[in-house]
Amino acid sequence: MSVRYEDASARLGVIVGSLSKAITDSDATLANASTAAGKIYELECLYEICRRLKSNGAYSLAMAGSSKLRFRTKGGSIDRKYSWIEIRRNETVISELWTDLYFDTLSSSYSKDRSGFHELDIAIIRPNIPESSNPSHSNVLVACECKDSKFIKGMIRGILGLRRELSFFNAHGGPAEFQNELGPIHKSNPSSHVFLFCSDASVRHYKDGPAHFDIRVEHLE
């Protein structure tokens, strides 16, 4: 079993109550799956987001649906045969964390084809979205893209496009949920946090432009 998988899974288990292990659609551990490298990196990014959410003690996290965090091999709509993570404040569920989730874009009302939805590697959404549906752009609170690969500038173009499909640019946007944990939001309406995590350190040279649009570009090994 991959040491990297064991470490990431164990660290996440300390933070998320009742998590036993992370698996793929086929019930195989991530260490043995054909998509292992990318999914393990998503697991590491997931740990980082969960760590920040718990940093101030305002939120608690717990598995829902199963003690196993099941990664899909491709994205999909809300499907509660997969597990998710509940984010609670004062014992009330205020949001849900999902992996590999579709959302309906800001422009989806004008779309009659498959351009009206996109996939998020990690998404925090408002709770109780109906089964077999996609959360709307206004129900996405946190959106993360996770790139365990060599950095290319097209990643920046992609994350800027994602921001455009989540929010309007508004000089008086904000505030957003999780501002104390994930950082302030200034110009997005509806407000949401957008992250691009990349394992290539070169990404650190491309942070300032996206930051103007409330996008955090981060190097995460």
Side-chain angles (χ1 to χ4, degrees):
M1 181 177 291
S2 163
V3 172
R4 186 181 176 194
Y5 163 76
E6 284 186 321
D7 180 59
S9 185
R11 286 187 296 144
L12 186 62
V14 171
I15 287 182
V16 180
S18 70
L19 173 69
S20 62
K21 64 177 180 177
I23 57 176
T24 62
D25 281 349
S26 62
D27 283 344
T29 64
L30 293 177
N32 299 322
S34 60
T35 54
K39 293 303 179 184
I40 292 173
Y41 188 69
E42 283 186 31
L43 184 59
E44 292 171 334
C45 296
L46 181 58
Y47 164 79
E48 181 60 23
I49 289 293
C50 290
R51 183 192 67 78
R52 295 181 192 184
L53 290 176
K54 291 198 69 176
S55 61
N56 291 325
Y59 304 99
S60 61
L61 310 177
M63 294 300 300
S66 170
S67 65
K68 299 176 182 177
L69 182 61
R70 184 185 297 269
F71 281 83
R72 309 186 210 204
T73 51
K74 62 179 181 178
S77 303
I78 293 291
D79 184 346
R80 296 189 186 274
K81 78 169 182 271
Y82 293 93
S83 53
W84 64 99
I85 297 173
E86 291 183 341
I87 303 172
R88 301 171 180 172
R89 183 173 55 220
N90 299 325
E91 300 305 317
T92 299
V93 177
I94 57 108
S95 56
E96 298 174 354
L97 190 156
W98 290 78
T99 62
D100 310 305
L101 183 68
Y102 292 157
F103 78 98
D104 288 337
T105 64
L106 193 154
S107 63
S108 62
S109 58
Y110 304 99
S111 173
K112 296 181 181 179
D113 58 18
R114 294 180 62 82
S115 64
F117 65 91
H118 292 304
E119 178 183 349
L120 298 172
D121 293 333
I122 298 170
I124 298 179
I125 62 173
R126 301 188 192 282
N128 304 317
I129 302 297
E131 183 76 359
S132 302
S133 66
N134 301 337
S136 68
H137 69 95
S138 59
N139 281 321
V140 176
L141 304 177
V142 180
C144 301
E145 290 291 293
C146 310
K147 303 295 185 182
D148 186 25
S149 64
K150 181 179 174 61
F151 173 78
I152 58 172
K153 198 172 181 181
M155 293 177 184
I156 300 300
R157 184 170 62 242
I159 203 69
L160 287 166
L162 173 61
R163 166 52 84 195
R164 183 63 184 89
E165 286 288 24
L166 281 169
S167 308
F168 290 104
F169 181 78
N170 185 332
H172 304 290
E177 190 71 60
F178 313 124
Q179 288 210 137
N180 291 332
E181 293 74 22
L182 301 181
I185 297 296
H186 301 291
K187 300 174 182 177
S188 302
N189 183 22
S191 297
S192 57
H193 301 270
V194 175
F195 288 86
L196 170 62
F197 292 113
C198 184
S199 58
D200 184 346
S202 301
V203 76
R204 294 180 294 190
H205 302 295
Y206 296 87
K207 297 166 63 173
D208 290 352
H212 182 68
F213 297 99
D214 293 329
I215 300 168
R216 291 178 176 83
V217 174
E218 300 190 16
H219 172 227
L220 184 68
E221 291 186 291

